[in-house]
Amino acid sequence: MSDQQEHSTGGVYTVKGREFSRDSRYITTRIVAEPRPGTDDYPVEPGRYRLIAAFACPWANRAIIVRDLLGLQDVISMGNPGPTHDADSWTFDLDPGGVDPVLGIHRLKDAYEKRFPGYPRGITVPAIVDERSGEVVTNNFPQITEDLFFEWKPFHRVDAPDLWPADVRDEMEEVMHRVYTEVNNGVYRCGFAGSQEAYDAAYDRLFAALDWLEDRLATRRFLMGDAITEADVRLFTTLVRFDPVYHGHFKCNRQKLSEMPNLWGYARDLFQTPGFGENVRFDQIKQHYYIVHRDINPLGIVPKGPDLASWQSDPGRV
């Protein structure tokens, strides 16, 4: 394994002899209701932008879910790259001729290069592209979903959930930070550890966080109480990949998700909520990880299991 590897869901990461480290330098441009003077902000404008998001990628999956929860499907269009890609770019393998029907490109890299010739970092999803110019606007995945809530509010459906409730926002920010560092990124820290010592430490950190979440969900239906928030979206996209991918492929194998009662019930509760389960593609998830990560799975064999029918069973949450 080389000292640096490309991973198109998160840029460059370093693994040799130490723990996985994600390159989190993303395009800082935002799409906002009132562009700030002196910035390169783009204006909120229905019908102008296209969300490019692969169902296989957990970071992109959260943007897909938030777009649906807020009812922005007719306001922001969406293109979906296929589950596998090369070191160069995500590609539109699922579309006729391998071309995005709106942007007219084969590779997401084309939209990055159109705005930033010689773009030096990973071609990541999610990304939002300006349909007028064909240029990428942003790939800053945590900012994308936050802005979909705050900046696109006039275009939300009437009964859209309050994903960022003001009364718990400070605590929610702390919860989301721990979920990101210890769980969302923690599974990758296990999977791409560059030494036994790095793996052991990553494993312990991950399951300490999962134990904390298991305890937290013993006394509440969702992470912040009785209602779904952004924090739940961010945790869900990792949990839904846990048994099919992370347990075996990333060696996160102390327990399966299905063996952690509160987390398992919580995950199924979300899966069965409109906007969540219908935006999960287990076949694409498994193809992405097991085929693309040849440094971990050299033969590219995709496992047939596990049996996923239980996702539709009664979650037992109240």
Side-chain angles (χ1 to χ4, degrees):
M1 185 180 293
S2 63
D3 192 48
Q4 289 194 318
Q5 301 285 332
E6 289 288 338
H7 179 28
S8 292
T9 58
V12 177
Y13 57 77
T14 304
V15 295
K16 186 176 180 181
R18 53 192 185 275
E19 73 171 34
F20 164 94
S21 178
R22 184 182 301 279
D23 182 351
S24 297
R25 294 171 296 168
Y26 298 103
I27 300 168
T28 58
T29 310
R30 294 175 58 193
I31 302 171
V32 295
E34 297 182 5
R36 299 160 297 174
T39 72
D40 55 0
D41 289 344
Y42 283 61
V44 165
E45 189 174 331
R48 178 172 175 176
Y49 304 103
R50 188 162 179 81
L51 171 66
I52 305 300
F55 284 102
C57 168
W59 318 100
N61 203 179
R62 65 170 63 172
I64 296 172
I65 291 170
V66 168
R67 172 179 173 269
D68 276 15
L69 290 175
L70 299 178
L72 294 172
Q73 298 94 323
D74 296 330
V75 179
I76 302 171
S77 71
M78 182 169 69
N80 304 118
T84 61
H85 56 76
D86 56 27
D88 197 42
S89 180
W90 289 88
T91 54
F92 295 96
D93 307 322
L94 305 178
D95 292 306
V99 175
D100 180 87
V102 171
L103 302 176
I105 57 177
H106 292 273
R107 309 175 308 157
L108 180 56
K109 182 176 183 177
D110 296 341
Y112 278 71
E113 292 280 349
K114 191 163 186 181
R115 183 177 176 198
F116 302 108
Y119 185 75
R121 294 188 288 278
I123 306 302
T124 65
V125 290
I128 295 182
V129 177
D130 182 359
E131 293 184 11
R132 293 180 184 174
S133 66
E135 297 178 355
V136 67
V137 177
T138 182
N139 64 345
N140 190 341
F141 66 88
Q143 191 67 60
I144 285 173
T145 53
E146 184 171 350
D147 285 345
L148 288 179
F149 180 78
F150 286 104
E151 303 298 331
W152 292 82
K153 224 163 203 178
F155 305 100
H156 293 182
R157 60 181 173 86
V158 174
D159 58 345
D162 183 0
L163 296 179
W164 293 80
D167 59 333
V168 296
R169 181 157 185 198
D170 288 345
E171 182 188 3
M172 189 176 84
E173 294 275 15
E174 294 175 1
V175 169
M176 290 193 302
H177 177 73
R178 188 168 182 183
V179 166
Y180 171 70
T181 60
E182 305 305 300
V183 182
N184 299 147
N185 214 37
V187 292
Y188 284 85
R189 195 180 294 113
C190 288
F192 292 106
S195 69
Q196 185 68 51
E197 293 76 14
Y199 165 74
D200 290 346
Y203 177 101
D204 291 343
R205 283 181 63 178
L206 170 64
F207 281 98
L210 291 174
D211 288 341
W212 164 69
L213 289 164
E214 179 75 4
D215 290 343
R216 184 178 182 89
L217 290 166
T219 58
R220 62 191 77 200
R221 182 176 179 184
F222 302 113
L223 285 178
M224 304 312 302
D226 295 330
I228 290 169
T229 66
E230 171 86 10
D232 298 300
V233 178
R234 295 186 179 196
L235 177 57
F236 173 79
T237 58
T238 295
L239 294 184
V240 81
R241 288 161 173 77
F242 200 88
D243 287 3
V245 175
Y246 302 142
H247 179 270
H249 186 57
F250 278 179
K251 307 179 186 69
C252 303
N253 61 355
R254 191 192 78 180
Q255 290 166 281
K256 295 179 180 177
L257 175 66
S258 58
E259 296 168 346
M260 294 179 269
N262 296 326
L263 278 164
W264 177 225
Y266 161 83
R268 282 177 291 157
D269 194 3
L270 290 173
F271 185 87
Q272 295 169 31
T273 298
F276 286 84
E278 65 262 37
N279 286 313
V280 174
R281 304 287 188 274
F282 284 118
D283 57 341
Q284 293 190 36
I285 289 168
K286 292 196 295 183
Q287 288 167 15
H288 171 70
Y289 285 91
Y290 287 102
I291 293 175
V292 172
H293 296 163
R294 292 301 179 102
D295 45 348
I296 298 177
N297 188 38
L299 297 180
I301 295 172
V302 180
K304 294 181 70 173
D307 182 356
L308 301 166
S310 54
W311 278 94
Q312 294 293 355
S313 63
D314 182 359
R317 305 290 287 176
V318 293

